[in-house]
Amino acid sequence: MDQQSANRPVFAPWNDPNEKPLIRFQNVTKKFGEFIAIDDLTLDIYRREFFALLGPSGCGKTTLMRMLAGFEKPTTGTILLDGQDIAPIPPNRRATNMMFQSYALFPHLSVWDNIAFGLKRSDMPADKIGARVEEMLRLVRLEKFAKRKPHQISGGQRQRVALARSLAKAPKLLLLDEPLGALDKKLRQDTQFELMDIQEKTGTTFVIVTHDQEEAMTVASRVAVMDHGRMIQVDTPDRIYETPNSVYVADFIGDVNIIEGTAAPKGEGMVAIAWAEGQPEIAATPAGQVAKGARVHFAIRPEKVAITTEKPEGRANAIEGAVHDIAYLGNISTYKVEVAGGRMIKAQVANDRRISRRDISWDDRVWLSFTDTAGVVLLS
Amino acid sequence: MNIRRLFLILAPYAWLLVFFLIPFAIVLKIALSDYAISIPPYTPVLDLSAGWDGFKSFLSALDFENFTFLAEDALYYTAYLSSLKIAIISTFLTLLVGYPIAYGMAQAPDEWRPTLMMLVILPFWTSFLIRVYSWMSILSNEGFLNQLLMWTGLTDSSIQILNTNTAVYIGIVYTYLPFMVLPIYSALEKLDGSLIEAAEDLGCSRIQAFWLVTFPLSRPGVIAGSFLVFIPALGEFVIPSLLGGSSTLMIGKVLFEEFFNNRDWPVASAVAVVLLLILIIPIVLFQRNEQKQREADQ
């Protein structure tokens, strides 16, 4: 492990106390009338990060981005960009550029002129602009479409023009507002990788707003889960997924089973969670101390739950139930199993056999099992 | 093709034939006839009872004499030019007044827009003539405007406004303002606000964003509005005759005088035909603008 990290340094400036953040939100609050869009938010974003703001609509993620672009001013608190308070700087003087959700391409200008638009407003000499536009066109592979108007190209191409336009001025910070929302799933996935590629090539700091958790997980170096103007958790995608800090985050990201129960310490750093009358307690490993008798939520991902027809040997937890429903998704199947007290627990299994050879069917008695480290214990 | 579709396609053409092409053919025919002291006041009159020979002699009696007359007499030529000048200047003035109104409407909060729209259309609820007459009482030497100017001390004595070209410009701008405001407003209203934000984000000041994005994108509305003002203003008759003075020369007024004062129907018709030919150019340009706009919207 040590040797590996010596050879290939892991990109994690947020763990380095000497690293200076590019953006620093300090106790930022934004109110629209009585409505609090951003609530006392403090956050650091580092250079070269691909930072995702994730949350349901109305959670304040777009407001946060618009404050970075300069279209909104914080009601209280300060936002520092490179150590400088950006509140008094109007959008046209900020070293940030934004890629709009609607792309906001100028319909009366060609692709070439759209990309050149920002450069012409800068102090770049005219002869350099052409070269820079060509470079951007190459980057997004649109050389052949330079003369076209935005309505003469496809949605995916428009999205790439918007990206090229916002990158052309080489901003310190690129803001992406739901950049892939209008694309269909296949194209979106391709574009996500393209975005990551471009981010790596240009070394620009990206802040992306999205409500698509899969997208955030795919592209981001860190994900911030927001709700009601607050940061609920800011962490790397794997930690957000594996160790959510709250029921909200666990529930928001991916699929999850949440079982409520009463915890009691048991042995070395373990707890036993009583969750239903007459059922064996769930053995789990909490991150911290859990007091005896505390109400807890036990969260476990469906793919970490195994499903068998016989009671498995040597698993820390095994719960019996009946198959209520099976969702067949091609590569995987999700089994909804009814256990004691009518509670449903989902188990997800890779379909490594053909469907005709599947040995579990509706209403079968089955055993669900998982290890004592598979789930997360969340204090209520 | 079924009968219903055929009917739908033919109906507008039939309309055009009955209400435009046939009247135009009659006017053209009169323009090619000669003045006569009779009823109707021109000759020849088409008499189909005389058969084919009668028709042939009818055709041979038609000539372009009236058009040559128009070209020779400087009055008509000056009147056309003067109309053109007045129409162009007043179109430009209407644009100057109308654009800010349309822009303000488009920027207004959503709940205000129907009210503002109402205010723009409201003048149409009163007779056009009454509105022009009220301008006479505003602009006359003892009118409200002069009283106001003297009250504020801007002038000592009243200024002659009524019966000058200035009054004609005021009248045309006032009358045709809604035709300028509405197309521009509809173009501005469609404008996606994020385009302006994008322009600012890319380094434009507010004013630059207006000239580089807002104005070019509202251009179809500006063109449509300008034609909607220019076309009727060119042939305008009521405003110059009521608000303008004896020196105000407009072709619509000349046409009226030829027709009713001189009772020279052939010359009046020739004036009308030439006016129509002049108007065809802006009308075709206008249609092309609309067509382009429709294509861009798709």
Side-chain angles (χ1 to χ4, degrees):
Chain A
M1 189 66 202
D2 273 337
Q3 205 194 339
Q4 196 191 6
S5 53
N7 291 342
R8 202 166 59 88
V10 179
F11 177 74
W14 47 90
N15 287 331
D16 183 354
N18 296 322
E19 192 75 37
K20 284 207 176 61
L22 177 68
I23 306 158
R24 171 160 262 180
F25 283 86
Q26 286 174 327
N27 305 98
V28 172
T29 297
K30 173 71 189 177
K31 289 182 189 167
F32 294 105
E34 287 297 293
F35 177 72
I36 300 170
I38 300 289
D39 192 0
D40 192 28
L41 181 133
T42 298
L43 173 72
D44 288 344
I45 298 172
Y46 295 85
R47 222 166 245 107
R48 302 181 73 93
E49 256 205 271
F50 202 136
F51 193 88
L53 293 165
L54 184 61
S57 58
C59 72
K61 56 190 193 303
T62 301
T63 309
L64 198 67
M65 170 164 287
R66 290 175 59 82
M67 286 198 289
L68 284 172
F71 301 127
E72 308 285 355
K73 282 201 171 80
T75 313
T76 58
T78 47
I79 305 170
L80 304 176
L81 178 70
D82 248 351
Q84 189 192 9
D85 182 5
I86 55 172
I89 306 173
N92 55 336
R93 302 204 183 284
R94 288 192 184 190
T96 63
N97 281 126
M98 182 155 166
M99 182 179 158
F100 289 79
Q101 186 172 6
S102 59
Y103 307 150
L105 297 179
F106 303 122
H108 58 300
L109 300 178
S110 67
V111 166
W112 203 97
D113 285 323
N114 261 287
I115 297 173
F117 191 91
L119 299 171
K120 286 182 182 164
R121 310 281 90 73
S122 69
D123 45 19
M124 185 181 265
D127 51 317
K128 292 239 175 75
I129 291 177
R132 179 68 179 160
V133 174
E134 299 297 331
E135 190 187 334
M136 285 297 120
L137 284 168
R138 262 198 309 281
L139 182 71
V140 295
R141 305 195 314 269
L142 283 173
E143 298 99 318
K144 288 194 189 111
F145 299 94
K147 296 264 178 330
R148 302 255 187 112
K149 290 276 178 72
H151 69 268
Q152 293 164 325
I153 56 177
S154 75
Q157 289 164 341
R158 257 177 251 169
Q159 181 262 339
R160 299 219 295 275
V161 176
L163 182 64
R165 187 181 69 176
S166 53
L167 277 170
K169 291 180 88 174
K172 276 186 194 166
L173 173 66
L174 181 72
L175 306 165
L176 304 116
D177 186 6
E178 303 261 3
L180 313 178
L183 304 183
D184 61 61
K185 196 172 177 194
K186 189 97 179 72
L187 194 55
R188 197 159 67 214
Q189 283 171 345
D190 292 346
T191 319
Q192 282 165 3
F193 288 107
E194 215 170 297
L195 267 184
M196 292 161 73
D197 213 38
I198 287 171
Q199 196 256 348
E200 223 162 277
K201 261 191 229 164
T202 58
T204 311
T205 309
F206 278 28
V207 173
I208 184 172
V209 157
T210 178
H211 66 267
D212 179 348
Q213 45 115 345
E214 222 173 281
E215 185 171 298
M217 307 279 287
T218 312
V219 299
S221 59
R222 279 197 302 161
V223 175
V225 181
M226 292 185 71
D227 188 37
H228 290 105
R230 288 172 173 278
M231 287 288 166
I232 308 296
Q233 188 171 6
V234 183
D235 228 324
T236 55
D238 59 309
R239 287 184 55 82
I240 289 264
Y241 189 77
E242 298 284 347
T243 56
N245 67 358
S246 59
V247 174
Y248 178 81
V249 174
D251 200 26
F252 192 76
I253 308 285
D255 213 353
V256 74
N257 296 299
I258 293 179
I259 301 165
E260 210 182 335
T262 313
K266 190 185 107 184
E268 193 72 3
M270 303 270 288
V271 287
I273 301 164
W275 60 280
E277 202 72 22
Q279 287 287 316
E281 293 169 335
I282 294 171
T285 318
Q289 284 296 313
V290 180
K292 187 172 164 53
R295 295 296 291 169
V296 294
H297 288 92
F298 178 72
I300 184 162
R301 302 286 180 194
E303 74 274 11
K304 293 191 171 63
V305 180
I307 184 165
T308 46
T309 47
E310 303 290 327
K311 182 169 181 177
E313 292 297 318
R315 297 280 272 186
N317 297 290
I319 302 170
E320 198 185 4
V323 176
H324 180 78
D325 212 349
I326 305 173
Y328 174 71
L329 301 170
N331 57 340
I332 54 168
S333 288
T334 303
Y335 295 84
K336 244 176 144 183
V337 177
E338 188 173 350
V339 297
R343 175 177 294 285
M344 294 291 175
I345 295 181
K346 281 175 275 185
Q348 214 167 55
V349 183
N351 291 326
D352 50 5
R353 311 175 75 173
R354 287 188 167 270
I355 194 165
S356 56
R357 295 179 55 87
R358 187 168 62 186
D359 53 7
I360 297 170
S361 184
W362 280 266
D363 297 328
D364 282 0
R365 298 299 297 175
V366 291
W367 286 87
L368 299 172
S369 61
F370 44 92
T371 65
D372 53 9
T373 52
V376 184
V377 180
L378 301 163
L379 293 165
S380 313
Chain B
M1 193 189 294
N2 60 35
I3 291 175
R4 237 181 67 164
R5 268 186 68 188
L6 192 73
F7 176 76
L8 278 175
I9 291 168
L10 283 182
Y13 285 103
W15 178 276
L16 270 182
L17 182 76
V18 174
F19 293 103
F20 177 73
L21 220 53
I22 292 176
F24 178 71
I26 293 170
V27 170
L28 184 64
K29 190 252 136 196
I30 299 174
L32 298 173
S33 310
D34 292 323
Y35 176 69
I37 304 176
S38 61
I39 296 173
Y42 51 84
T43 149
V45 180
L46 179 58
D47 184 9
L48 290 175
S49 60
W52 182 242
D53 286 337
F55 187 67
K56 269 205 283 193
S57 64
F58 164 76
L59 274 187
S60 62
L62 297 178
D63 54 48
F64 286 92
E65 209 174 274
N66 293 316
F67 291 95
T68 8
F69 173 65
L70 289 189
E72 280 162 1
D73 194 327
L75 167 76
Y76 302 102
Y77 155 82
T78 350
Y80 281 121
L81 279 188
S82 158
S83 292
L84 214 56
K85 189 187 116 199
I86 290 177
I88 288 171
I89 293 176
S90 46
T91 303
F92 182 69
L93 292 175
T94 317
L95 178 63
L96 280 188
V97 178
Y99 199 101
I101 295 176
Y103 188 79
M105 279 169 71
Q107 299 291 311
D110 280 349
E111 64 268 27
W112 273 91
R113 289 185 190 176
T115 316
L116 294 172
M117 176 80 93
M118 195 67 199
L119 288 174
V120 170
I121 303 171
L122 201 65
F124 287 127
W125 288 16
T126 339
S127 154
F128 167 59
L129 269 179
I130 291 177
R131 285 183 284 134
V132 176
Y133 273 115
S134 25
W135 273 107
M136 291 173 77
S137 69
I138 295 173
L139 299 175
S140 70
N141 286 359
E142 297 78 34
F144 298 123
L145 185 60
N146 268 314
Q147 283 180 27
L148 185 76
L149 287 176
M150 286 192 283
W151 180 70
T152 55
L154 284 170
T155 54
D156 298 330
S157 57
S158 61
I159 311 168
Q160 172 79 31
I161 302 172
L162 189 65
N163 303 329
T164 64
N165 278 0
T166 313
V168 176
Y169 288 132
I170 292 174
I172 293 178
V173 170
Y174 164 76
T175 307
Y176 294 110
L177 192 61
F179 296 110
M180 184 64 89
V181 170
L182 295 178
I184 298 177
Y185 168 71
S186 98
L188 286 173
E189 195 210 12
K190 276 191 289 183
L191 199 84
D192 178 3
S194 66
L195 290 178
I196 309 302
E197 284 188 346
E200 283 184 47
D201 186 63
L202 291 166
C204 283
S205 64
R206 287 279 167 93
I207 295 166
Q208 278 179 317
F210 175 81
W211 285 112
L212 291 168
V213 179
T214 312
F215 191 74
L217 288 175
S218 64
R219 215 176 46 195
V222 170
I223 294 173
S226 298
F227 280 130
L228 287 177
V229 173
F230 176 80
I231 292 166
L234 189 63
E236 186 52 57
F237 153 71
V238 176
I239 296 171
S241 51
L242 291 183
L243 299 179
S246 49
S247 64
T248 306
L249 196 57
M250 279 193 85
I251 200 68
K253 223 170 104 181
V254 171
L255 195 149
F256 180 88
E257 278 158 10
E258 286 297 344
F259 209 92
F260 290 97
N261 298 6
N262 292 353
R263 283 189 52 82
D264 191 342
W265 288 24
V267 167
S269 300
V271 169
V273 169
V274 172
L275 181 61
L276 188 77
L277 291 178
I278 294 174
L279 281 174
I280 280 175
I281 302 162
I283 288 171
V284 166
L285 289 175
F286 173 72
Q287 290 293 352
R288 223 194 258 167
N289 175 58
E290 294 284 289
Q291 183 73 26
K292 251 187 12 206
Q293 194 48 29
R294 266 198 297 278
E295 277 163 14
D297 282 349
Q298 278 163 7

